[in-house]
PDB file of all heavy atoms in Angstrom:
ATOM      1  N   ASP A   1      40.514 -82.074   1.931  1.00 81.00           N
ATOM      2  CA  ASP A   1      41.279 -83.268   1.655  1.00 81.00           C
ATOM      3  C   ASP A   1      42.619 -82.742   1.064  1.00 81.00           C
ATOM      4  O   ASP A   1      43.275 -82.054   1.764  1.00 81.00           O
ATOM      5  CB  ASP A   1      40.564 -84.131   0.584  1.00 81.00           C
ATOM      6  CG  ASP A   1      39.376 -84.900   1.276  1.00 81.00           C
ATOM      7  OD1 ASP A   1      39.471 -85.143   2.521  1.00 81.00           O
ATOM      8  OD2 ASP A   1      38.432 -85.251   0.654  1.00 81.00           O
ATOM      9  N   LEU A   2      42.985 -83.082  -0.175  1.00 75.00           N
ATOM     10  CA  LEU A   2      44.285 -82.754  -0.757  1.00 75.00           C
ATOM     11  C   LEU A   2      44.311 -81.351  -1.430  1.00 75.00           C
ATOM     12  O   LEU A   2      45.421 -80.871  -1.753  1.00 75.00           O
ATOM     13  CB  LEU A   2      44.792 -83.812  -1.674  1.00 75.00           C
ATOM     14  CG  LEU A   2      44.978 -85.172  -1.100  1.00 75.00           C
ATOM     15  CD1 LEU A   2      45.429 -86.184  -2.165  1.00 75.00           C
ATOM     16  CD2 LEU A   2      46.011 -85.166   0.109  1.00 75.00           C
ATOM     17  N   ALA A   3      43.145 -80.741  -1.515  1.00 79.00           N
ATOM     18  CA  ALA A   3      43.076 -79.513  -2.259  1.00 79.00           C
ATOM     19  C   ALA A   3      43.396 -78.306  -1.248  1.00 79.00           C
ATOM     20  O   ALA A   3      42.799 -78.224  -0.167  1.00 79.00           O
ATOM     21  CB  ALA A   3      41.690 -79.274  -2.800  1.00 79.00           C
ATOM     22  N   ILE A   4      44.395 -77.468  -1.722  1.00 77.00           N
ATOM     23  CA  ILE A   4      44.807 -76.306  -0.907  1.00 77.00           C
ATOM     24  C   ILE A   4      44.066 -75.024  -1.517  1.00 77.00           C
ATOM     25  O   ILE A   4      44.225 -74.839  -2.722  1.00 77.00           O
ATOM     26  CB  ILE A   4      46.335 -76.181  -0.921  1.00 77.00           C
ATOM     27  CG1 ILE A   4      46.998 -77.482  -0.566  1.00 77.00           C
ATOM     28  CG2 ILE A   4      46.721 -75.069   0.118  1.00 77.00           C
ATOM     29  CD1 ILE A   4      46.641 -78.000   0.763  1.00 77.00           C
ATOM     30  N   HIS A   5      43.445 -74.307  -0.585  1.00 79.00           N
ATOM     31  CA  HIS A   5      42.810 -73.062  -1.086  1.00 79.00           C
ATOM     32  C   HIS A   5      43.580 -71.758  -0.534  1.00 79.00           C
ATOM     33  O   HIS A   5      44.353 -71.802   0.332  1.00 79.00           O
ATOM     34  CB  HIS A   5      41.352 -73.041  -0.532  1.00 79.00           C
ATOM     35  CG  HIS A   5      40.646 -74.277  -0.682  1.00 79.00           C
ATOM     36  ND1 HIS A   5      40.294 -74.871  -1.955  1.00 79.00           N
ATOM     37  CD2 HIS A   5      40.167 -75.261   0.163  1.00 79.00           C
ATOM     38  CE1 HIS A   5      39.698 -75.913  -1.892  1.00 79.00           C
ATOM     39  NE2 HIS A   5      39.621 -76.242  -0.586  1.00 79.00           N
ATOM     40  N   VAL A   6      43.330 -70.744  -1.385  1.00 82.00           N
ATOM     41  CA  VAL A   6      43.920 -69.516  -1.038  1.00 82.00           C
ATOM     42  C   VAL A   6      43.603 -68.921   0.396  1.00 82.00           C
ATOM     43  O   VAL A   6      42.607 -69.387   0.977  1.00 82.00           O
ATOM     44  CB  VAL A   6      43.621 -68.411  -2.008  1.00 82.00           C
ATOM     45  CG1 VAL A   6      44.023 -68.742  -3.460  1.00 82.00           C
ATOM     46  CG2 VAL A   6      42.138 -68.104  -1.943  1.00 82.00           C
ATOM     47  N   ALA A   7      44.533 -68.172   0.961  1.00 84.00           N
ATOM     48  CA  ALA A   7      44.254 -67.716   2.318  1.00 84.00           C
ATOM     49  C   ALA A   7      43.099 -66.716   2.329  1.00 84.00           C
ATOM     50  O   ALA A   7      42.869 -65.950   1.483  1.00 84.00           O
ATOM     51  CB  ALA A   7      45.517 -67.037   2.829  1.00 84.00           C
ATOM     52  N   ARG A   8      42.320 -66.918   3.356  1.00 87.00           N
ATOM     53  CA  ARG A   8      41.083 -66.055   3.640  1.00 87.00           C
ATOM     54  C   ARG A   8      40.733 -66.089   5.089  1.00 87.00           C
ATOM     55  O   ARG A   8      41.169 -66.965   5.847  1.00 87.00           O
ATOM     56  CB  ARG A   8      39.934 -66.463   2.767  1.00 87.00           C
ATOM     57  CG  ARG A   8      39.503 -67.936   2.912  1.00 87.00           C
ATOM     58  CD  ARG A   8      40.013 -68.799   1.816  1.00 87.00           C
ATOM     59  NE  ARG A   8      39.579 -70.184   1.736  1.00 87.00           N
ATOM     60  CZ  ARG A   8      39.011 -70.643   0.718  1.00 87.00           C
ATOM     61  NH1 ARG A   8      38.750 -70.040  -0.361  1.00 87.00           N
ATOM     62  NH2 ARG A   8      38.555 -71.931   0.802  1.00 87.00           N
ATOM     63  N   ARG A   9      39.984 -65.099   5.465  1.00 90.00           N
ATOM     64  CA  ARG A   9      39.614 -64.977   6.951  1.00 90.00           C
ATOM     65  C   ARG A   9      38.463 -65.799   7.319  1.00 90.00           C
ATOM     66  O   ARG A   9      38.364 -66.257   8.477  1.00 90.00           O
ATOM     67  CB  ARG A   9      39.292 -63.426   7.281  1.00 90.00           C
ATOM     68  CG  ARG A   9      40.705 -62.590   7.162  1.00 90.00           C
ATOM     69  CD  ARG A   9      40.223 -61.181   7.778  1.00 90.00           C
ATOM     70  NE  ARG A   9      39.838 -61.229   9.187  1.00 90.00           N
ATOM     71  CZ  ARG A   9      38.613 -60.917   9.629  1.00 90.00           C
ATOM     72  NH1 ARG A   9      37.636 -60.627   8.698  1.00 90.00           N
ATOM     73  NH2 ARG A   9      38.360 -61.071  10.884  1.00 90.00           N
ATOM     74  N   VAL A  10      37.511 -66.025   6.515  1.00 92.00           N
ATOM     75  CA  VAL A  10      36.337 -66.715   6.839  1.00 92.00           C
ATOM     76  C   VAL A  10      36.116 -67.936   5.987  1.00 92.00           C
ATOM     77  O   VAL A  10      36.207 -67.858   4.726  1.00 92.00           O
ATOM     78  CB  VAL A  10      35.062 -65.819   6.603  1.00 92.00           C
ATOM     79  CG1 VAL A  10      33.775 -66.605   6.944  1.00 92.00           C
ATOM     80  CG2 VAL A  10      35.143 -64.478   7.396  1.00 92.00           C
ATOM     81  N   VAL A  11      36.015 -69.068   6.689  1.00 91.00           N
ATOM     82  CA  VAL A  11      35.868 -70.343   6.039  1.00 91.00           C
ATOM     83  C   VAL A  11      34.589 -71.029   6.667  1.00 91.00           C
ATOM     84  O   VAL A  11      34.401 -71.088   7.886  1.00 91.00           O
ATOM     85  CB  VAL A  11      36.958 -71.259   6.199  1.00 91.00           C
ATOM     86  CG1 VAL A  11      36.796 -72.600   5.597  1.00 91.00           C
ATOM     87  CG2 VAL A  11      38.298 -70.648   5.639  1.00 91.00           C
ATOM     88  N   GLU A  12      33.669 -71.442   5.763  1.00 93.00           N
ATOM     89  CA  GLU A  12      32.501 -72.182   6.238  1.00 93.00           C
ATOM     90  C   GLU A  12      32.501 -73.664   5.710  1.00 93.00           C
ATOM     91  O   GLU A  12      32.805 -73.921   4.557  1.00 93.00           O
ATOM     92  CB  GLU A  12      31.219 -71.463   5.686  1.00 93.00           C
ATOM     93  CG  GLU A  12      31.004 -70.038   6.265  1.00 93.00           C
ATOM     94  CD  GLU A  12      29.752 -69.449   5.759  1.00 93.00           C
ATOM     95  OE1 GLU A  12      28.694 -69.811   6.238  1.00 93.00           O
ATOM     96  OE2 GLU A  12      29.743 -68.605   4.810  1.00 93.00           O
ATOM     97  N   ILE A  13      32.225 -74.522   6.608  1.00 95.00           N
ATOM     98  CA  ILE A  13      32.250 -75.957   6.430  1.00 95.00           C
ATOM     99  C   ILE A  13      30.975 -76.537   6.863  1.00 95.00           C
ATOM    100  O   ILE A  13      30.510 -76.280   8.009  1.00 95.00           O
ATOM    101  CB  ILE A  13      33.371 -76.650   7.066  1.00 95.00           C
ATOM    102  CG1 ILE A  13      34.733 -75.984   6.606  1.00 95.00           C
ATOM    103  CG2 ILE A  13      33.503 -78.148   6.767  1.00 95.00           C
ATOM    104  CD1 ILE A  13      35.990 -76.439   7.392  1.00 95.00           C
ATOM    105  N   ASP A  14      30.345 -77.324   6.013  1.00 96.00           N
ATOM    106  CA  ASP A  14      29.070 -78.005   6.490  1.00 96.00           C
ATOM    107  C   ASP A  14      29.126 -79.571   5.965  1.00 96.00           C
ATOM    108  O   ASP A  14      29.947 -79.866   5.176  1.00 96.00           O
ATOM    109  CB  ASP A  14      27.866 -77.329   6.046  1.00 96.00           C
ATOM    110  CG  ASP A  14      27.662 -77.187   4.675  1.00 96.00           C
ATOM    111  OD1 ASP A  14      28.510 -77.639   3.833  1.00 96.00           O
ATOM    112  OD2 ASP A  14      26.539 -76.731   4.270  1.00 96.00           O
ATOM    113  N   LEU A  15      28.176 -80.252   6.409  1.00 97.00           N
ATOM    114  CA  LEU A  15      28.063 -81.701   6.114  1.00 97.00           C
ATOM    115  C   LEU A  15      26.778 -81.948   5.298  1.00 97.00           C
ATOM    116  O   LEU A  15      25.712 -81.384   5.642  1.00 97.00           O
ATOM    117  CB  LEU A  15      28.042 -82.498   7.273  1.00 97.00           C
ATOM    118  CG  LEU A  15      28.207 -84.068   7.100  1.00 97.00           C
ATOM    119  CD1 LEU A  15      29.615 -84.315   6.685  1.00 97.00           C
ATOM    120  CD2 LEU A  15      27.841 -84.796   8.463  1.00 97.00           C
ATOM    121  N   LEU A  16      26.950 -82.661   4.229  1.00 97.00           N
ATOM    122  CA  LEU A  16      25.754 -83.187   3.465  1.00 97.00           C
ATOM    123  C   LEU A  16      25.589 -84.714   3.874  1.00 97.00           C
ATOM    124  O   LEU A  16      26.237 -85.575   3.294  1.00 97.00           O
ATOM    125  CB  LEU A  16      25.992 -82.977   1.978  1.00 97.00           C
ATOM    126  CG  LEU A  16      26.325 -81.579   1.549  1.00 97.00           C
ATOM    127  CD1 LEU A  16      26.658 -81.583  -0.013  1.00 97.00           C
ATOM    128  CD2 LEU A  16      25.233 -80.689   1.857  1.00 97.00           C
ATOM    129  N   PRO A  17      24.656 -84.892   4.760  1.00 97.00           N
ATOM    130  CA  PRO A  17      24.598 -86.312   5.230  1.00 97.00           C
ATOM    131  C   PRO A  17      23.947 -87.213   4.215  1.00 97.00           C
ATOM    132  O   PRO A  17      23.061 -86.837   3.376  1.00 97.00           O
ATOM    133  CB  PRO A  17      23.568 -86.163   6.532  1.00 97.00           C
ATOM    134  CG  PRO A  17      22.807 -84.963   6.238  1.00 97.00           C
ATOM    135  CD  PRO A  17      23.712 -83.978   5.432  1.00 97.00           C
ATOM    136  N   ALA A  18      24.429 -88.531   4.188  1.00 97.00           N
ATOM    137  CA  ALA A  18      23.911 -89.603   3.409  1.00 97.00           C
ATOM    138  C   ALA A  18      23.761 -89.154   1.925  1.00 97.00           C
ATOM    139  O   ALA A  18      22.759 -89.430   1.271  1.00 97.00           O
ATOM    140  CB  ALA A  18      22.521 -90.065   3.922  1.00 97.00           C
ATOM    141  N   SER A  19      24.842 -88.551   1.372  1.00 97.00           N
ATOM    142  CA  SER A  19      24.741 -87.953   0.100  1.00 97.00           C
ATOM    143  C   SER A  19      25.418 -88.771  -0.938  1.00 97.00           C
ATOM    144  O   SER A  19      25.121 -88.553  -2.163  1.00 97.00           O
ATOM    145  CB  SER A  19      25.495 -86.567   0.141  1.00 97.00           C
ATOM    146  OG  SER A  19      24.764 -85.646   0.816  1.00 97.00           O
ATOM    147  N   VAL A  20      26.289 -89.798  -0.653  1.00 97.00           N
ATOM    148  CA  VAL A  20      26.958 -90.559  -1.600  1.00 97.00           C
ATOM    149  C   VAL A  20      26.700 -92.080  -1.272  1.00 97.00           C
ATOM    150  O   VAL A  20      26.876 -92.494  -0.237  1.00 97.00           O
ATOM    151  CB  VAL A  20      28.487 -90.289  -1.694  1.00 97.00           C
ATOM    152  CG1 VAL A  20      29.166 -91.226  -2.756  1.00 97.00           C
ATOM    153  CG2 VAL A  20      28.763 -88.807  -2.038  1.00 97.00           C
ATOM    154  N   LEU A  21      26.253 -92.816  -2.296  1.00 97.00           N
ATOM    155  CA  LEU A  21      25.939 -94.266  -2.144  1.00 97.00           C
ATOM    156  C   LEU A  21      27.228 -95.033  -2.466  1.00 97.00           C
ATOM    157  O   LEU A  21      27.720 -94.948  -3.566  1.00 97.00           O
ATOM    158  CB  LEU A  21      24.788 -94.648  -3.041  1.00 97.00           C
ATOM    159  CG  LEU A  21      24.207 -96.015  -2.814  1.00 97.00           C
ATOM    160  CD1 LEU A  21      23.611 -96.164  -1.404  1.00 97.00           C
ATOM    161  CD2 LEU A  21      23.151 -96.362  -3.879  1.00 97.00           C
ATOM    162  N   MET A  22      27.866 -95.695  -1.439  1.00 98.00           N
ATOM    163  CA  MET A  22      29.077 -96.474  -1.553  1.00 98.00           C
ATOM    164  C   MET A  22      28.875 -97.907  -1.175  1.00 98.00           C
ATOM    165  O   MET A  22      28.187 -98.240  -0.245  1.00 98.00           O
ATOM    166  CB  MET A  22      30.135 -95.891  -0.751  1.00 98.00           C
ATOM    167  CG  MET A  22      30.747 -94.569  -1.323  1.00 98.00           C
ATOM    168  SD  MET A  22      32.356 -94.252  -0.498  1.00 98.00           S
ATOM    169  CE  MET A  22      32.691 -92.583  -1.212  1.00 98.00           C
ATOM    170  N   ILE A  23      29.562 -98.769  -1.914  1.00 97.00           N
ATOM    171  CA  ILE A  23      29.720-100.121  -1.514  1.00 97.00           C
ATOM    172  C   ILE A  23      30.827-100.212  -0.467  1.00 97.00           C
ATOM    173  O   ILE A  23      32.056 -99.820  -0.698  1.00 97.00           O
ATOM    174  CB  ILE A  23      30.066-101.085  -2.675  1.00 97.00           C
ATOM    175  CG1 ILE A  23      28.899-101.055  -3.685  1.00 97.00           C
ATOM    176  CG2 ILE A  23      30.425-102.479  -2.280  1.00 97.00           C
ATOM    177  CD1 ILE A  23      29.200-101.696  -4.997  1.00 97.00           C
ATOM    178  N   VAL A  24      30.524-100.761   0.783  1.00 97.00           N
ATOM    179  CA  VAL A  24      31.488-100.665   1.862  1.00 97.00           C
ATOM    180  C   VAL A  24      31.586-101.990   2.531  1.00 97.00           C
ATOM    181  O   VAL A  24      30.817-102.929   2.234  1.00 97.00           O
ATOM    182  CB  VAL A  24      31.066 -99.564   2.983  1.00 97.00           C
ATOM    183  CG1 VAL A  24      30.967 -98.199   2.244  1.00 97.00           C
ATOM    184  CG2 VAL A  24      29.694 -99.985   3.550  1.00 97.00           C
ATOM    185  N   GLY A  25      32.564-102.048   3.459  1.00 96.00           N
ATOM    186  CA  GLY A  25      32.760-103.250   4.224  1.00 96.00           C
ATOM    187  C   GLY A  25      32.734-103.095   5.750  1.00 96.00           C
ATOM    188  O   GLY A  25      31.902-102.208   6.153  1.00 96.00           O
ATOM    189  N   ASN A  26      33.410-103.738   6.509  1.00 95.00           N
ATOM    190  CA  ASN A  26      33.403-103.706   8.016  1.00 95.00           C
ATOM    191  C   ASN A  26      34.471-102.719   8.348  1.00 95.00           C
ATOM    192  O   ASN A  26      35.557-103.127   8.961  1.00 95.00           O
ATOM    193  CB  ASN A  26      33.632-105.038   8.556  1.00 95.00           C
ATOM    194  CG  ASN A  26      33.345-105.081  10.075  1.00 95.00           C
ATOM    195  OD1 ASN A  26      33.061-104.038  10.658  1.00 95.00           O
ATOM    196  ND2 ASN A  26      33.373-106.294  10.598  1.00 95.00           N
ATOM    197  N   GLY A  27      34.329-101.424   8.176  1.00 95.00           N
ATOM    198  CA  GLY A  27      35.218-100.398   8.540  1.00 95.00           C
ATOM    199  C   GLY A  27      35.084 -99.646   9.729  1.00 95.00           C
ATOM    200  O   GLY A  27      33.965 -99.516  10.328  1.00 95.00           O
ATOM    201  N   ILE A  28      36.187 -99.160  10.369  1.00 95.00           N
ATOM    202  CA  ILE A  28      36.079 -98.389  11.603  1.00 95.00           C
ATOM    203  C   ILE A  28      35.414 -96.973  11.404  1.00 95.00           C
ATOM    204  O   ILE A  28      34.961 -96.384  12.374  1.00 95.00           O
ATOM    205  CB  ILE A  28      37.474 -98.175  12.241  1.00 95.00           C
ATOM    206  CG1 ILE A  28      38.297 -97.204  11.334  1.00 95.00           C
ATOM    207  CG2 ILE A  28      38.222 -99.527  12.438  1.00 95.00           C
ATOM    208  CD1 ILE A  28      39.537 -96.657  12.042  1.00 95.00           C
ATOM    209  N   GLY A  29      35.191 -96.561  10.137  1.00 97.00           N
ATOM    210  CA  GLY A  29      34.681 -95.310   9.880  1.00 97.00           C
ATOM    211  C   GLY A  29      33.125 -95.459   9.588  1.00 97.00           C
ATOM    212  O   GLY A  29      32.503 -94.444   9.036  1.00 97.00           O
ATOM    213  N   LEU A  30      32.465 -96.457  10.031  1.00 97.00           N
ATOM    214  CA  LEU A  30      31.071 -96.691   9.769  1.00 97.00           C
ATOM    215  C   LEU A  30      30.385 -96.971  11.052  1.00 97.00           C
ATOM    216  O   LEU A  30      30.761 -97.816  11.976  1.00 97.00           O
ATOM    217  CB  LEU A  30      30.820 -97.905   8.851  1.00 97.00           C
ATOM    218  CG  LEU A  30      31.359 -97.673   7.353  1.00 97.00           C
ATOM    219  CD1 LEU A  30      31.358 -99.029   6.708  1.00 97.00           C
ATOM    220  CD2 LEU A  30      30.550 -96.685   6.691  1.00 97.00           C
ATOM    221  N   SER A  31      29.195 -96.364  11.255  1.00 96.00           N
ATOM    222  CA  SER A  31      28.322 -96.655  12.450  1.00 96.00           C
ATOM    223  C   SER A  31      27.657 -98.011  12.216  1.00 96.00           C
ATOM    224  O   SER A  31      27.283 -98.765  13.193  1.00 96.00           O
ATOM    225  CB  SER A  31      27.193 -95.557  12.590  1.00 96.00           C
ATOM    226  OG  SER A  31      27.918 -94.313  12.805  1.00 96.00           O
ATOM    227  N   LEU A  32      27.335 -98.325  10.947  1.00 94.00           N
ATOM    228  CA  LEU A  32      26.637 -99.563  10.535  1.00 94.00           C
ATOM    229  C   LEU A  32      27.518-100.335   9.529  1.00 94.00           C
ATOM    230  O   LEU A  32      27.357-100.345   8.324  1.00 94.00           O
ATOM    231  CB  LEU A  32      25.291 -99.300   9.994  1.00 94.00           C
ATOM    232  CG  LEU A  32      24.386-100.460   9.658  1.00 94.00           C
ATOM    233  CD1 LEU A  32      24.048-101.199  10.854  1.00 94.00           C
ATOM    234  CD2 LEU A  32      23.060 -99.924   8.982  1.00 94.00           C
ATOM    235  N   PRO A  33      28.583-101.084  10.037  1.00 95.00           N
ATOM    236  CA  PRO A  33      29.496-101.718   9.111  1.00 95.00           C
ATOM    237  C   PRO A  33      28.785-102.932   8.573  1.00 95.00           C
ATOM    238  O   PRO A  33      27.717-103.458   9.109  1.00 95.00           O
ATOM    239  CB  PRO A  33      30.645-102.045   9.989  1.00 95.00           C
ATOM    240  CG  PRO A  33      30.056-102.169  11.370  1.00 95.00           C
ATOM    241  CD  PRO A  33      28.977-101.073  11.466  1.00 95.00           C
ATOM    242  N   VAL A  34      29.438-103.520   7.501  1.00 95.00           N
ATOM    243  CA  VAL A  34      28.953-104.757   6.936  1.00 95.00           C
ATOM    244  C   VAL A  34      29.725-105.916   7.577  1.00 95.00           C
ATOM    245  O   VAL A  34      30.942-106.170   7.172  1.00 95.00           O
ATOM    246  CB  VAL A  34      29.170-104.725   5.407  1.00 95.00           C
ATOM    247  CG1 VAL A  34      28.618-106.022   4.817  1.00 95.00           C
ATOM    248  CG2 VAL A  34      28.415-103.551   4.752  1.00 95.00           C
ATOM    249  N   GLU A  35      29.155-106.561   8.472  1.00 92.00           N
ATOM    250  CA  GLU A  35      29.774-107.602   9.289  1.00 92.00           C
ATOM    251  C   GLU A  35      30.344-108.764   8.462  1.00 92.00           C
ATOM    252  O   GLU A  35      31.318-109.347   8.817  1.00 92.00           O
ATOM    253  CB  GLU A  35      28.836-108.039  10.362  1.00 92.00           C
ATOM    254  CG  GLU A  35      28.262-107.057  11.281  1.00 92.00           C
ATOM    255  CD  GLU A  35      29.348-106.469  12.218  1.00 92.00           C
ATOM    256  OE1 GLU A  35      30.357-107.116  12.354  1.00 92.00           O
ATOM    257  OE2 GLU A  35      28.988-105.530  13.029  1.00 92.00           O
ATOM    258  N   SER A  36      29.620-109.017   7.324  1.00 91.00           N
ATOM    259  CA  SER A  36      30.036-110.267   6.566  1.00 91.00           C
ATOM    260  C   SER A  36      30.892-109.956   5.365  1.00 91.00           C
ATOM    261  O   SER A  36      31.155-110.804   4.500  1.00 91.00           O
ATOM    262  CB  SER A  36      28.679-110.995   5.987  1.00 91.00           C
ATOM    263  OG  SER A  36      27.996-109.966   5.378  1.00 91.00           O
ATOM    264  N   ALA A  37      31.503-108.726   5.341  1.00 91.00           N
ATOM    265  CA  ALA A  37      32.328-108.325   4.249  1.00 91.00           C
ATOM    266  C   ALA A  37      33.676-109.133   4.187  1.00 91.00           C
ATOM    267  O   ALA A  37      34.073-109.556   5.345  1.00 91.00           O
ATOM    268  CB  ALA A  37      32.597-106.845   4.316  1.00 91.00           C
ATOM    269  N   PRO A  38      34.349-109.229   3.067  1.00 86.00           N
ATOM    270  CA  PRO A  38      35.666-109.785   3.054  1.00 86.00           C
ATOM    271  C   PRO A  38      36.548-109.029   4.037  1.00 86.00           C
ATOM    272  O   PRO A  38      36.439-107.904   4.206  1.00 86.00           O
ATOM    273  CB  PRO A  38      36.087-109.613   1.581  1.00 86.00           C
ATOM    274  CG  PRO A  38      34.810-109.500   0.814  1.00 86.00           C
ATOM    275  CD  PRO A  38      33.804-108.809   1.706  1.00 86.00           C
ATOM    276  N   VAL A  39      37.573-109.793   4.572  1.00 79.00           N
ATOM    277  CA  VAL A  39      38.487-109.195   5.547  1.00 79.00           C
ATOM    278  C   VAL A  39      39.365-108.134   4.909  1.00 79.00           C
ATOM    279  O   VAL A  39      39.794-108.317   3.755  1.00 79.00           O
ATOM    280  CB  VAL A  39      39.301-110.241   6.116  1.00 79.00           C
ATOM    281  CG1 VAL A  39      40.272-109.741   7.092  1.00 79.00           C
ATOM    282  CG2 VAL A  39      38.506-111.248   6.888  1.00 79.00           C
ATOM    283  N   LEU A  40      39.482-107.075   5.620  1.00 72.00           N
ATOM    284  CA  LEU A  40      40.406-106.003   5.161  1.00 72.00           C
ATOM    285  C   LEU A  40      41.773-106.432   5.177  1.00 72.00           C
ATOM    286  O   LEU A  40      42.343-106.691   6.203  1.00 72.00           O
ATOM    287  CB  LEU A  40      40.284-104.669   6.022  1.00 72.00           C
ATOM    288  CG  LEU A  40      41.175-103.500   5.805  1.00 72.00           C
ATOM    289  CD1 LEU A  40      41.004-102.932   4.414  1.00 72.00           C
ATOM    290  CD2 LEU A  40      40.998-102.402   6.877  1.00 72.00           C
ATOM    291  N   MET A  41      42.383-106.523   4.093  1.00 63.00           N
ATOM    292  CA  MET A  41      43.788-107.071   3.964  1.00 63.00           C
ATOM    293  C   MET A  41      44.789-105.920   4.158  1.00 63.00           C
ATOM    294  O   MET A  41      44.558-104.760   3.794  1.00 63.00           O
ATOM    295  CB  MET A  41      44.023-107.585   2.576  1.00 63.00           C
ATOM    296  CG  MET A  41      43.136-108.844   2.277  1.00 63.00           C
ATOM    297  SD  MET A  41      43.478-110.252   3.315  1.00 63.00           S
ATOM    298  CE  MET A  41      45.090-110.752   2.708  1.00 63.00           C
ATOM    299  N   ASN A  42      45.896-106.286   4.876  1.00 56.00           N
ATOM    300  CA  ASN A  42      46.991-105.290   4.960  1.00 56.00           C
ATOM    301  C   ASN A  42      46.541-103.949   5.588  1.00 56.00           C
ATOM    302  O   ASN A  42      46.772-102.842   5.002  1.00 56.00           O
ATOM    303  CB  ASN A  42      47.747-104.974   3.689  1.00 56.00           C
ATOM    304  CG  ASN A  42      48.224-106.271   3.042  1.00 56.00           C
ATOM    305  OD1 ASN A  42      48.816-107.088   3.633  1.00 56.00           O
ATOM    306  ND2 ASN A  42      48.024-106.326   1.665  1.00 56.00           N
ATOM    307  N   PRO A  43      45.872-103.959   6.750  1.00 50.00           N
ATOM    308  CA  PRO A  43      45.483-102.706   7.318  1.00 50.00           C
ATOM    309  C   PRO A  43      46.623-101.893   7.850  1.00 50.00           C
ATOM    310  O   PRO A  43      47.796-102.345   7.949  1.00 50.00           O
ATOM    311  CB  PRO A  43      44.551-103.082   8.536  1.00 50.00           C
ATOM    312  CG  PRO A  43      45.107-104.490   8.918  1.00 50.00           C
ATOM    313  CD  PRO A  43      45.577-105.096   7.629  1.00 50.00           C
ATOM    314  N   ALA A  44      46.334-100.629   8.061  1.00 47.00           N
ATOM    315  CA  ALA A  44      47.429 -99.695   8.507  1.00 47.00           C
ATOM    316  C   ALA A  44      48.002-100.285   9.896  1.00 47.00           C
ATOM    317  O   ALA A  44      47.258-100.882  10.699  1.00 47.00           O
ATOM    318  CB  ALA A  44      46.898 -98.320   8.799  1.00 47.00           C
ATOM    319  N   PRO A  45      49.280-100.191  10.101  1.00 44.00           N
ATOM    320  CA  PRO A  45      49.870-100.756  11.324  1.00 44.00           C
ATOM    321  C   PRO A  45      49.158-100.134  12.563  1.00 44.00           C
ATOM    322  O   PRO A  45      48.952 -99.005  12.759  1.00 44.00           O
ATOM    323  CB  PRO A  45      51.407-100.230  11.333  1.00 44.00           C
ATOM    324  CG  PRO A  45      51.519 -99.937   9.742  1.00 44.00           C
ATOM    325  CD  PRO A  45      50.299 -99.510   9.229  1.00 44.00           C
ATOM    326  N   GLY A  46      48.687-101.083  13.463  1.00 43.00           N
ATOM    327  CA  GLY A  46      48.132-100.721  14.730  1.00 43.00           C
ATOM    328  C   GLY A  46      46.704-100.117  14.499  1.00 43.00           C
ATOM    329  O   GLY A  46      46.166 -99.579  15.479  1.00 43.00           O
TER     330      GLY A  46
END
């Protein structure tokens, strides 16, 4: 994200699935969106 790390040769990245419980709506970043959520106001252009 916004954190910058020192230069190095080897970087390992993995995913922790279903690790954070969030209240969500009908977003493009969800496989299972909440269809009845309030409308997203002022979305990004396009």
Side-chain angles (χ1 to χ4, degrees):
D1 286 333
L2 298 179
I4 310 297
H5 311 297
V6 297
R8 52 264 187 125
R9 289 189 63 246
V10 180
V11 177
E12 294 183 77
I13 303 171
D14 64 356
L15 190 71
L16 304 178
S19 293
V20 180
L21 190 61
M22 283 196 185
I23 296 173
V24 301
N26 191 353
I28 68 167
L30 295 168
S31 302
L32 186 61
V34 180
E35 303 287 351
S36 55
V39 176
L40 173 64
M41 299 295 291
N42 303 319

